[in-house]
Amino acid sequence: VEVIVFDNLLVNFAADQGASVVIRGLRAVSDFDYEFQMLNMNRALRPTIETIFLAPSEENSYISSSLVRKIAGYGGDIRQFVHPSVATALKNNEIG
């Protein structure tokens, strides 16, 4: 892996590097809309460069605090999503 700083369009940089693929990460479904627009613009500018999306593993993905609170409110086990002190506070209704 090599880190290279650039100050032009990604597709132009990729072409200058001899790349034919750009890999982009998606943290959540909400990222897809923006990334899909970017893919289409990049494809229009450089049709020879393809974009591939990778999704994160569960432990690296985004989860909303509202969803965690709702799970806790219905008695679900949230320990895998939050720090132990937060799980205890939610269980004891100390956090609303």
Side-chain angles (χ1 to χ4, degrees):
V1 175
E2 183 179 355
V3 177
I4 304 171
V5 177
F6 63 97
D7 63 355
N8 58 349
L9 294 172
L10 174 61
V11 289
N12 291 344
F13 173 74
D16 291 345
Q17 297 299 309
S20 58
V21 175
V22 171
I23 299 173
R24 305 283 293 183
L26 299 174
R27 295 170 298 168
V29 173
S30 57
D31 290 344
F32 183 77
D33 184 51
Y34 172 80
E35 292 292 343
F36 192 71
Q37 290 178 54
M38 183 74 70
L39 172 147
N40 285 323
M41 294 303 291
N42 287 341
R43 189 177 281 161
L45 294 168
R46 290 263 187 182
T48 58
I49 297 182
E50 191 60 58
T51 300
I52 296 174
F53 296 121
L54 294 178
S57 61
E58 184 178 313
E59 64 267 10
N60 293 318
S61 63
Y62 168 80
I63 184 168
S64 76
S65 60
S66 298
L67 184 55
V68 171
R69 283 192 305 272
K70 185 161 295 263
I71 293 169
Y74 285 109
D77 185 0
I78 59 165
R79 291 177 295 175
Q80 65 183 335
F81 306 120
V82 297
H83 188 274
S85 62
V86 174
T88 299
L90 282 169
K91 186 175 182 177
N92 297 331
N93 291 319
E94 296 170 10
I95 300 175

